[in-house]
Amino acid sequence: MAQIASVPIFLTYWSPAEYGVWLVVSSLMPYLTAFDVGHQSYLSYEFIKARDNDQLGRLLSSSLVAGGLMGAFALLATLIMVRTGAVEALLGQVNPELAGQAERLLVVQGVVWLVSGTCGGLLGRAIVRLGHYPRTAWWGVASTIVTSIAPLIGVALGGNILVAGLWLAGGTLAINTPLLADFIRVWRRDGARFPPPDLGLAARNAFLSLGVTGRDILNQVRQQGIRLVLAPAVGVAQMTAFSTTRTGANVALQGLSSIMGPFEPELLRFLRDRDQVRVEVALSVTWALVVYLIAPSLVAAQIIMPWVFEAWTRGRIAFDPLLFAILSASVAVFAYAQTAATIVAETIWSEAS
C-alpha cells in the first residue's frame, strides 16, 4: 500500500528524473548495509537454535559488537563513494545540484543506520526466540507506516530530495527510539541479560554470516540491482519507467513476504522438532494462499493494469504490458519456490549444527 500510494505523490511534485534519483539512492543503501543485514539474517537462525536465555544473551551481546563495526563500515563506504564521485557516476546524466543532494542524502541515511539499524534489527530477531514474533511484526508495520509517510510530507511541502530524506531520517529515528526501548524492556522482562560480549564468538559469527551476505546481495541484484545498471546506461528517467512498472511485482513480493514472514520461523521450529502433523498443516496453508490468492491476483492485474497505470503515474510514464507480464511471471515462480527454499535452509542449518 505504501508503494502504491507514494508513486502518484512523488510524480505530482517531482519530475521522473528527480524521482529516479530518489530510487537510485534507495537502491544503494541495501548494498552499503549488506554485511550488517546479512549478519543479522545469520544470527536470526542462531538465536532460534539457542538452548537457553544465557546462550541467547551471549549471542546477542557478541553480535552487537560485530554489528556496530559493520554499521560503521557501511558509513565509511558511503563517505568513500561520495568522495570518489561514484554516486554521481551511478546517476548518469543529471545536473550537479541534484547529484549533490543525492550524495548528502546517502550520508544521512548511513548515519541513521549506524545509530538505530543494527541494534533494532538484532534485538528484534533475538526476542523472536522468546516467542515475540507478533510483537516485532507489529512494530514493523508501525515502522513502515512512519517511514513511508515521513518523506511524502517533505515532498508535499515542496521539498527537494534532500529535504524528503531528512524527513525520512527524522521519522526513522522517531519510530526506532520507542521500538528499541520496548525490545529492551521485553528482553529484560523475560529474564534475558546482556552478558559481556565474547569477541571470539562475534568474529566467528561475522565470518560465517558472509555466505548469507552473499545470498542477500544476489537477492538485491535480482530485486533492485537493475536500477544501478539502467540509471547510468539510459538515464534516470527511463530507469524510473522500468522501476515504476515493476512496482506491481514488488507489491506481490510484499504480499508473499507477509505470508512467509510469520510462517518461516514456525516452520523451522516444526521441522527442528520433527512435528510432522504441524509441518503438513503449515505447508498446506501456505500452498493454498499461493495458489488461490497470489497467482490469480497476478493474472487479474494483467487485465486492469493498463488503465490503472496511467492514472496512477499521473500520465507521466508509459505502460509496457510485456514488461509487466514478464515481471509478474517471475514473482509467481519465486512464490512457488519459497516453501522448498525454507525447507532446504533448515536442512542445511541442521546439518551444519
Side-chain angles (χ1 to χ4, degrees):
M1 291 176 62
Q3 290 177 350
I4 293 172
S6 64
V7 169
I9 296 176
F10 279 120
L11 291 177
T12 296
Y13 293 93
W14 287 352
S15 68
E18 289 176 299
Y19 181 46
V21 171
W22 175 266
L23 292 177
V24 170
V25 174
S26 301
S27 299
L28 276 173
M29 282 307 298
Y31 292 100
L32 294 170
T33 59
F35 288 96
D36 198 357
V37 174
H39 179 247
Q40 293 180 26
S41 298
Y42 173 80
L43 263 299
S44 65
Y45 290 94
E46 295 300 300
F47 291 149
I48 291 175
K49 288 159 52 179
R51 295 185 301 273
D52 51 39
N53 283 1
D54 290 338
Q55 185 181 21
L56 183 62
R58 189 163 66 93
L59 277 169
L60 179 59
S61 295
S62 304
S63 64
L64 287 172
V65 174
L69 293 174
M70 291 179 180
F73 173 79
L75 179 57
L76 177 62
T78 301
L79 294 173
I80 291 174
M81 288 190 67
V82 170
R83 293 292 294 176
T84 58
V87 176
E88 188 173 358
L90 285 172
L91 294 175
Q93 299 297 321
V94 298
N95 66 69
E97 182 181 355
L98 198 56
Q101 293 173 14
E103 290 173 341
R104 291 190 290 274
L105 170 58
L106 201 59
V107 173
V108 169
Q109 290 186 347
V111 172
V112 171
W113 178 266
L114 176 62
V115 171
S116 64
T118 298
C119 294
L122 288 170
L123 265 170
R125 287 167 170 80
I127 67 172
V128 167
R129 171 64 179 79
L130 300 176
H132 297 290
Y133 179 85
R135 193 184 201 93
T136 64
W138 280 111
W139 270 113
V141 172
S143 179
T144 300
I145 292 172
V146 171
T147 56
S148 299
I149 293 176
L152 296 180
I153 295 174
V155 173
L157 292 175
N160 57 25
I161 292 172
L162 181 58
V163 171
L166 291 174
W167 273 88
L168 173 59
T172 302
L173 293 175
I175 189 64
N176 281 351
T177 300
L179 178 149
L180 284 171
D182 183 59
F183 285 177
I184 292 172
R185 184 181 63 84
V186 170
W187 177 261
R188 290 175 172 168
R189 186 193 66 191
D190 287 6
R193 296 291 180 266
F194 292 98
D198 183 337
L199 298 183
L201 179 62
R204 173 183 176 276
N205 287 335
F207 176 76
L208 293 176
S209 70
L210 294 178
V212 181
T213 298
R215 181 204 66 185
D216 289 349
I217 290 175
L218 291 175
N219 280 335
Q220 287 298 327
V221 170
R222 174 179 57 80
Q223 294 177 20
Q224 299 182 0
I226 191 66
R227 294 178 182 176
L228 305 182
V229 175
L230 288 179
V234 299
V236 289
Q238 290 297 318
M239 183 276 299
T240 303
F242 178 90
S243 296
T244 307
T245 304
R246 193 179 179 180
T247 300
N250 289 340
V251 170
L253 283 174
Q254 292 295 327
L256 180 62
S257 175
S258 70
I259 297 171
M260 295 304 298
F263 163 76
E264 184 170 306
E266 294 300 310
L267 177 59
L268 291 175
R269 184 163 60 87
F270 298 153
L271 290 168
R272 183 190 60 196
D273 296 340
R274 301 295 189 267
D275 190 337
Q276 181 67 23
V277 174
R278 290 186 177 181
V279 168
E280 290 179 359
V281 170
L283 292 177
S284 298
V285 171
T286 304
W287 276 105
L289 289 169
V290 170
V291 173
Y292 296 116
L293 178 62
I294 294 179
S297 298
L298 291 175
V299 174
Q302 311 302 314
I303 301 173
I304 65 173
M305 189 52 67
W307 296 277
V308 172
F309 192 85
E310 182 176 1
W312 178 53
T313 60
R314 318 291 290 183
R316 292 196 172 196
I317 298 175
F319 179 67
D320 187 332
L322 179 59
L323 174 61
F324 184 79
I326 293 171
L327 294 172
S328 299
S330 68
V331 173
V333 174
F334 182 73
Y336 294 140
Q338 272 299 91
T339 302
T342 301
I343 295 173
V344 170
E346 165 60 16
T347 303
I348 292 173
W349 287 109
S350 297
E351 292 178 354
S353 60

